[in-house]
Amino acid sequence: MVEKSPDAFRTISEAAEELDVPQHVLRFWETRFSQIKPMKRAGGRRYYRPADVELLNGIRSLLYKEGYTIRGVQKILKEDGAAYVAGVGRGEVEPRKREGEMASAPPPGMAKAAPRVGKAGPGETPATPQAPASSAQPLLPLGEVKVVVNRLSENHADMLRSALRDLGDARRILDPGAPR
């Protein structure tokens, strides 16, 4: 690939490659962040200015590295502006920390995997539930699973509902033929 000047416009494929995200993600972000406005030529071909790529890089950093949601990044763009987010993308601005209960949550991809619950499939041996050494609870027989229900705080429930709405919106955009 030919190296372009830092001031040159980028096609969507070049911007996607530079940002290490699929092209469809850039198109989706355009629907969620009104600040992303690439030039569109005849036939709808997108051309991203250097400032657009910096803003996209800041959005990418906040979403993927800092663990913000789409709504969280929208809030930052509204409160701090596109120049702030672009500065995050250039590495010139230290991103603010997430607020609320989720601030202590690990960044995306860093959480421990949830244990598998349920009966073993064909050819699998069911795990024997192990009680902690200090626990007085008896072990469950093989094949039985104890279901523990934990209540979510209202804040966590709101965050999950918001994430589900975002996922539903993304599905409708990416697959218009999907059932509603």
Side-chain angles (χ1 to χ4, degrees):
M1 183 169 96
V2 176
E3 270 303 305
K4 281 192 169 185
S5 159
D7 298 331
F9 286 32
R10 306 284 193 270
T11 64
I12 192 167
S13 61
E14 291 167 336
E17 183 177 326
E18 186 173 324
L19 296 165
D20 194 28
V21 296
Q23 293 177 29
H24 68 89
V25 170
L26 297 181
R27 289 186 203 98
F28 174 70
W29 287 352
E30 280 181 47
T31 69
R32 292 293 174 255
F33 304 108
S34 60
Q35 296 83 354
I36 301 172
K37 296 176 188 149
M39 283 183 38
K40 290 187 183 174
R41 305 295 287 179
R45 189 169 170 102
R46 292 166 170 81
Y47 288 94
Y48 293 88
R49 300 167 194 88
D52 295 326
V53 176
E54 288 175 352
L55 176 59
L56 288 165
N57 197 28
I59 290 170
R60 179 187 177 279
S61 179
L62 290 171
L63 290 171
Y64 296 170
K65 292 180 185 169
E66 300 301 320
Y68 280 93
T69 62
I70 297 267
R71 290 214 171 126
V73 176
Q74 288 170 335
K75 181 179 177 186
I76 290 173
L77 281 164
K78 182 178 179 183
E79 292 174 0
D80 300 322
Y84 172 86
V85 175
V88 170
R90 289 188 303 270
E92 298 170 358
V93 176
E94 184 70 26
R96 64 182 180 176
K97 297 299 172 201
R98 292 179 290 159
E99 300 170 357
E101 291 183 40
M102 288 302 289
S104 61
M110 299 305 290
K112 291 181 184 174
R116 288 185 63 188
V117 178
K119 295 188 178 183
E124 293 180 334
T125 306
T128 304
Q130 298 292 322
S134 62
S135 172
Q137 294 179 341
L139 293 177
L140 297 172
L142 283 177
E144 290 187 28
V145 177
K146 183 177 181 181
V147 177
V148 178
V149 177
N150 291 320
R151 302 273 315 154
L152 289 174
S153 70
E154 193 56 39
N155 190 26
H156 278 119
D158 287 342
M159 284 187 247
L160 286 172
R161 282 189 284 272
S162 173
L164 283 171
R165 279 191 303 273
D166 287 347
L167 287 170
D169 292 345
R171 182 175 185 197
R172 282 187 288 281
I173 289 168
L174 297 172
D175 189 4
R180 300 207 177 247

